[in-house]
Amino acid sequence: MHRLGAGWKLLALAAVSVVVTWTQQPVVAVCALGAAVAVLMVARVPLRATARTLAPVVVVVLGLGAYQWWARGWQDALVVSAGLLAVIGLATCLTATTRSDQLLEAMTRTAGPLRHVGLRPQTFALAVSLVLRTIPALIDLGWDVRDAARARGLDRSPRALLVPFVLRAVARAHTTADALAARGVLDDDDADSGDDSSGPRSDGGDDGVRAV
Amino acid sequence: MIEFLGAHVAVASPAAPGGEVTILEPTTLTLTEHRVAVIGANGSGKSTLARLVNGLVLPTSGYVRVNGLDSHDDGRAVRRQVGFVFSDADSQLVMPTPLEDVTLSLRRLRLGRREREERAREILDRFHLAHLADVSVHALSGGQKQLLALAGVLATEPQVLVCDEPTTLLDLRWRTHVNDLLAGLDQQLVHVTHDLEAAARADRVLVVDQAQVVYDGLPAPAVTFYRELMAQRSAAPGWP
C-alpha cells in the first residue's frame, strides 16, 4: 500500500466516495466500510491507535446516523454512517501510507485544471497539506484555552472558550502565512517570471507579502 | 550587504493624529558586519526592522536593499537570499514530519524528488535531527522544533539569515545551543533578541526604542546604553 502511487490512492478514494453517495444503497455502503477496514488491515495501519484518533469523528458520525434513523429510517442511517466511516477510513489509510510530499505533488497534478480559473494548483495542494498539519495544533490550542478558562473558573462560559480560541487560531494563521511568505514557498511557480511588483511604494503587500 | 535608505513604516489609523501610526521612523543604515544584533523593548519596532530585510514588511517610503536588490521591486529574489526564523517555530513548520518540512523548503531549488529527499536527510543529519526525520512535528520538543525551523530555512542556503527572537520560547540548554549555532553560521546574521548575552557576541548592535534606532555601535557600549535606557523607562512615572 505504501508503494502505490499517491495519485492512484486519491483516485480510489474519490471513486468510493462517488459510488457510495451516488448509489445510496445500504449494501454498497456496508461493503465499502468492509473494504475500508480490509484496506486498513492490509496496509498495517495500527488499528487501535487509529480508532483512538478517530473516536471523536466516529461519535459525530454515529450521532448523525441516529438522527437519520429517527428522521428517515434505518436504511438512510446505514448509508450515511457506513458510507462516511468508509470514506474516513480510506482517507486515514491514504494519509498513513503516503508521504505528505508525494500527496502534495499528486494534489498539485490533480488540481492542474484549477489554473484555468485563476487558482494556483500548488497553493491549493499546500492549503490541503496545511490543514492536515494544523488539526493537531488546533486540538492542542483547544486544550490550552479550556485549561486557561478553567484556571479562571470560567470553564462553563462559552465566550471564555470560543473567543480566545478563535483569536489565537487567527493569530496562528497570520504567523503561518508570514512564515510561508518568508520561506518563499508560494513563490515557486512564478520564480522566474521577473519582477513581482510595479505599483507605488506603499504599505500594501504583493505576492503574499502582507501589508503592515 | 543590507541597506536601509530612509526606510519608514507607518500604518493607517483614523484615530491617530495625522491618520497614521509610525512603526519605524525613517531609518538609514548599512549593515555589512557578519553578525548584527537588534535589541529593544517589546513593541519598539525591532521586529519591523527585521521584517523589512526580507520584504515581509515593505517600507511605506524609502528603500531596503539586500546585496543591491530592492525588497519592493525584487521581492522574490530578496526572499531567496534572506532566510527568516520566527520565535514560534510551531507556526513556521508547515508539513507533518521534519523530513517533509525540509523537503518543502528545497522545492524552490527545482531538484528531483529523490534528490530533494536525500538532501533533506543530509541537512537533518547536520542538525542532529536525522533520527527524528519521520516523527510527527507535533511530537517534537520546543528546542527541536526551533532547530528544525532553522534547518528548513538554511536548507536553501540563504546569504542572509534574519532571526526574530528565535530563543524566546526555549529553555537555557536549547537557548545556548541555538545561539552557538547561530554564532557559527557562514551567513550574515541579523539577530533580534532579548538575550543580552547573545547580543554581546555580535559584531554590531542596534538598539531600537520608540520606533527608531537610538544606538548603533559595538556590543558592550550598546548593551550598557540599553540597560540604562530601560532603567530610565522603568523609573518613569506611570510605569508599568
Side-chain angles (χ1 to χ4, degrees):
Chain A
M1 193 62 67
H2 290 76
R3 281 195 293 266
L4 196 64
W8 289 111
K9 288 188 247 186
L10 270 175
L11 190 66
L13 178 62
V16 171
S17 310
V18 168
V19 168
V20 169
T21 314
W22 190 268
T23 57
Q24 296 280 308
Q25 293 295 322
V27 178
V28 175
V30 170
C31 286
L33 180 57
V37 173
V39 167
L40 281 167
M41 290 173 78
V42 168
R44 295 187 181 168
V45 175
L47 288 180
R48 192 173 292 177
T50 307
R52 208 168 37 235
T53 311
L54 294 179
V57 184
V58 172
V59 170
V60 171
V61 171
L62 292 180
L64 206 60
Y67 172 75
Q68 290 286 333
W69 196 334
W70 173 74
R72 304 177 67 176
W74 69 269
Q75 287 180 315
D76 280 349
L78 198 58
V79 169
V80 169
S81 329
L84 274 175
L85 288 175
V87 172
I88 290 167
L90 290 173
T92 304
C93 185
L94 170 76
T95 51
T97 61
T98 316
R99 283 195 176 288
S100 298
D101 192 39
Q102 292 168 345
L103 203 56
L104 200 63
E105 284 184 10
M107 281 191 286
T108 305
R109 278 196 305 274
T110 311
L114 293 178
R115 198 183 288 277
H116 300 297
V117 290
L119 283 175
R120 293 169 63 192
Q122 203 156 20
T123 308
F124 170 79
L126 186 64
V128 175
S129 226
L130 272 175
V131 169
L132 293 177
R133 160 79 182 96
T134 306
I135 289 168
L138 285 180
I139 291 172
D140 268 1
L141 178 59
W143 294 129
D144 277 357
V145 168
R146 189 204 59 173
D147 288 348
R150 190 174 281 175
R152 298 177 64 189
L154 297 170
D155 47 328
R156 288 184 186 278
S157 160
R159 197 167 57 176
L161 295 169
L162 202 61
V163 173
F165 179 81
V166 171
L167 289 178
R168 286 176 65 182
V170 171
R172 187 191 157 87
H174 272 292
T175 318
T176 304
D178 278 352
L180 286 172
R183 288 174 74 175
V185 171
L186 300 173
D187 295 341
D188 288 357
D189 272 0
D190 310 314
D192 301 319
S193 64
D195 290 349
D196 52 351
S197 61
S198 56
R201 193 171 293 271
S202 70
D203 58 352
D206 63 284
D207 295 306
V209 179
R210 193 164 60 82
V212 199
Chain B
M1 181 169 73
I2 303 163
E3 296 168 282
F4 291 79
L5 304 164
H8 162 238
V9 180
V11 288
S13 173
E20 65 174 31
V21 173
T22 298
I23 309 296
L24 188 71
E25 297 284 357
T27 301
T28 299
L29 288 168
T30 303
L31 305 177
T32 52
E33 291 75 8
H34 187 186
R35 288 167 300 183
V36 179
V38 183
I39 56 177
N42 292 334
S44 58
K46 57 189 188 307
S47 287
T48 302
L49 187 78
R51 284 166 178 243
L52 280 166
V53 179
N54 84 332
L56 266 180
V57 168
L58 295 173
T60 309
S61 62
Y63 301 86
V64 177
R65 291 192 184 127
V66 178
N67 296 330
L69 295 166
D70 187 290
S71 69
H72 182 272
D73 296 336
D74 311 302
R76 288 193 187 99
V78 167
R79 285 194 286 281
R80 261 179 260 152
Q81 292 204 5
V82 183
F84 201 103
V85 175
F86 297 80
S87 32
D88 183 7
D90 228 348
S91 310
Q92 190 163 352
L93 303 172
V94 292
M95 299 300 270
T97 66
L99 180 68
E100 288 158 341
D101 198 77
V102 176
T103 307
L104 179 74
S105 290
L106 295 171
R107 285 171 76 95
R108 70 159 84 162
L109 299 186
R110 300 180 184 283
L111 306 169
R113 193 167 70 197
R114 191 165 294 174
E115 200 179 340
R116 276 206 307 263
E117 191 174 317
E118 278 171 17
R119 183 91 69 96
R121 284 194 188 279
E122 283 170 21
I123 290 160
L124 288 172
D125 193 34
R126 203 185 313 154
F127 283 83
H128 307 292
L129 292 168
H131 62 295
L132 299 169
D134 299 308
V135 168
S136 166
V137 162
H138 192 62
L140 302 182
S141 72
Q144 287 167 336
K145 284 179 185 170
Q146 194 57 280
L147 204 56
L148 175 60
L150 197 55
V153 169
L154 291 175
T156 55
E157 297 176 356
Q159 293 179 26
V160 178
L161 181 68
V162 182
C163 296
D164 189 0
E165 301 180 34
T167 57
T168 298
L169 303 174
L170 305 184
D171 64 26
L172 180 61
R173 188 178 51 138
W174 276 106
R175 194 172 70 187
T176 308
H177 182 64
V178 170
N179 280 336
D180 287 348
L181 210 145
L182 292 176
L185 290 175
D186 293 332
Q187 280 87 355
Q188 185 180 15
L189 175 71
V190 177
H191 187 180
V192 177
T193 184
H194 287 298
D195 182 348
L196 298 184
E197 283 176 33
R201 293 165 77 177
D203 303 314
R204 177 176 173 182
V205 175
L206 308 177
V207 181
V208 183
D209 187 55
Q210 296 181 342
Q212 53 190 320
V213 176
V214 291
Y215 193 96
D216 177 2
L218 291 170
V223 168
T224 305
F225 176 88
Y226 177 59
R227 284 187 194 281
E228 287 170 2
L229 181 70
M230 288 302 102
Q232 278 174 27
R233 294 265 184 272
S234 302
W239 193 90

